[in-house]
Amino acid sequence: MAAAKPTLTDSLSFCLAQLAAAAGEGLGGEKDPATNETPLGRALLALRTRHIKAAGGIERFRARGGLRPLLALLRRAAAAGSAPSQASPGSAPSAASAASSPAPASGPAPSAVSSSTASPPVRLRKTLDLALSILADCCTEGACRTEVRRLGGILPLVTILQCMKTDSIQNRTARALGNLAMEPESCGDIHCAGAVPLLVESLTACQDSQCLQSVVRALRNLADSPQHRLALAQQGAVRPLAELLATAPDAALTSALVRALLELSRGCSRACAEQLSLGGGLGPLVSLASHPKRVVREGTILILANLCAQGLIRPALGNAGGVEVLVDELRQRRGPNGASPASQQPLVRAVCLLCREAINRARLRDAGGLDLLIGLLRDPRASAWHPRIVAALVGFLYDTGALGRLQALGLVPLLAGQLCGEAGEEEEEGREAASWDFPEERTPERAQGGSFRSLRSWLISEGYAAGADDISPDWSPEQCPPPEPMEPASPILTPTSLRAPRTQRTPGRSPAAAIEEPWGREGPALLLLSRFSQAPDPSGALVTGPALYGLLTYVTGAPGPPSPRALRILSRLTCNPACLEAFVRSYGAALLRAWLVLGVAPDDWPAPRARPTLHSRHRELGSPEDRVACALTLPFICRKPSLWRRLLLEQGGLRLLLAALTRPAPHPLFLFFAADSLSCLQDLVSPAVSPAVPQAVPMDLDSPSPCLYEPLLGPAPVPAPDLHFLLDSGLQLPAQRAASATASPFFRALLSGSFAEAQMDLVPLRGLSPGAAWPILHHLHGCRGCGAALGPVPPPGQPLLGSEAEEALEAAGRFLLPGLEEELEEAVGRIHLGPQGGPESVGEVFRLGRPRLAAHCARWTLGPEQCPRKRGLALVGLVEAAGEEAGPLTEALLAVVMGIELGARVPA
């Protein structure tokens, strides 16, 4: 087949020439009889169908200067359309007349004359269709958009939009404006040129779906900033979009409307919310939340989430079913196959905002929203949202059913964790997000947050204030919540450390005189905990380890003065008889004393090393663990001698507590609590007895007794030794047979009996090192207190097991030298349990297994001069040293507590 014959329009130069000629001379021209078209028409058609659509065609068109004549042609067409009476159909006004009518740079376009609504001539309409189509295609390229703006091409488009009401021309003009609006600078110029009201008018006048889609897209692109979104809403762009959505349009238009409303609802303004509601868009949006197309479905859900920022629309949104939609969507996104945390953020914010109205709180509770919010509080990945969630839950403060459900879900320990955690600050909401349960009051007073006005209405309705003048305008919910019912201040509060809670104003008192209660990030959590503490029996939720830990951490570690509300919670719990059993079982009384009185927090205490922690819960008081907890707590809460003597001494409570020391610990601080309890009990039993070891003077300043063995060691011993003891090392130690034989029954039988050693001058002593033998030889020759017993004792910090001290003690017992045993034990106690010893030495001494030393360790541990931390560490060492053999430790501690001496004199 022969190739098609080239035509003039195949040349870009020809087409540009025709375009330039038309721009300079007019829109008319003679028709070609063969094609029934003008040269301009053929050139425009070729540009649109061939040159522009070719690869790189738009760039070539712009580089060859095609935009300038194209825009000039549109200006002539706009002028022709705006003043048809001044030009014959198909012709354009002269260039001089066009130049003499400069377009304004900004401001709304002038109103169309009455004749502008008429349909333009056919030839003019066709020319405009082709030219606008070319321009719209060119504006898909960034360089062309910049060039069009530079050449002033926006105002002609706005004029055409105003004057030419044909759907095809409106469609292509809106498409061109939408493409231009993709540039921020052009977007601003389009707003200034007054295009928005014309586009809004097109939404109501056009019937063609393609035209409506182009107009909707243009409005969406014009919503590129908060200022422009607000301007669009204020000019009525949202309501016709909502009305179109409610008329069940086709799928393509539905998608375009959802995308536009999503953009317009970002940072949702009051005008946007009002227009969307008046346009009947809430119901369709809720229905579209289940649309099969994912883009439409997700866009719709985000629109609903954005609308929640406006309190005025949230009740209507809840009535339309929006609460259930948002809760279900958030639940799905948090599922195993859900979306990333970033995609959950707008839904979390929306659900929290929905908690501000009573009607929506009820729907949210019925839809399982409480479980969802508690799940978010448990999720460490959602920690940035935790303050917002806790603040939202404050809305359920007086919903008894919801509070019961929240407590069952474990809200209390989560709230306590908020008091000592490092969660982010709650994001501030605008005044428009305030609860719509109490609509804003229009008053001429100075600007106040909408949330404050809502709070003021709430205070008046609940009887906390007599009127609007009774509340200081400086008190807003961002700093302080609705006050609790009047509560007596805790006696431990001081004016210098805490500010008093806010109270009602008395007659004649200035609102400025009221003192504000501190309110920070922890305020909502404390308010909810305070509400829980006001229940008749709050023990199950608040008198637990996590809850007390959070409250005490906040009270003792707050960067500034802690809120008096936290102290009132603790005071309320400790004064409630219903909480006593829980305090006993959870070791709460011991924890309060340790933390607040003794200054030892759980974080300051080493983790248990010897045995795992035992966790158990008992429904009835009386289990072995419960009796241990009662025995430990009784010295802290009871000062009636007949009661604690009967329970602890006569009924075996003390022995039960002591036996529990070597079993798995029921609490991480159990040994610390036990040491403190035993010390308190000792003061109750025998307050006049001082179990402390006297402070010994340094050994180098002691005045030892004269040594009777040293004369035997010199070069001229007096008297001369008649016996030598042979050690395993080969060392021979001189001795007197008579003195040695009288020291103990063992040596009397050995040296003067019928054994062979009685006739030997060199008697072997097996199993003795020189250091261990040294105090034995001194003792055999009558030395008492000469300091020889101190020789084999290692310094503090070195182990006693396996040392020469243990060897000497074993030999003293084997050789039947009880006096030497006592002297050696005294030396061990003097060095390891004296001023230079520490808690770590107690366990070392106890491991020697000597009853007198065990009692000495118990005295050191429970001594009143020991600080609570050293006392607890010493008991830990004793328990580790005792191992599974609890008997010696129990008897030693029992004897010390009861003031009973074990054995002979203890070391001084």
Side-chain angles (χ1 to χ4, degrees), residues 47 85 247 293 488 514 729 792 884:
L47 285 172
S85 60
T247 58
K293 193 174 181 181
S729 62
E884 300 297 331

Side-chain angles (χ1 to χ4, degrees), residues 111-182:
S111 302
V113 296
S114 59
S115 59
S116 66
T117 60
S119 178
V122 176
R123 185 179 300 178
L124 177 60
R125 186 172 68 247
K126 186 173 183 181
T127 299
L128 275 176
D129 280 339
L130 291 172
L132 290 170
S133 180
I134 294 170
L135 181 62
D137 288 341
C138 289
C139 287
T140 59
E141 186 192 62
C144 284
R145 291 194 293 267
T146 303
E147 183 73 6
V148 169
R149 178 173 178 269
R150 187 182 67 84
L151 295 174
I154 292 176
L155 191 59
L157 291 175
V158 175
T159 305
I160 293 173
L161 192 67
Q162 179 186 20
C163 302
M164 309 292 185
K165 298 304 180 181
T166 306
D167 284 354
S168 62
I169 295 178
Q170 293 274 305
N171 177 20
R172 289 177 171 85
T173 306
R175 179 168 169 260
L177 288 172
N179 289 343
L180 286 168
M182 296 170 66

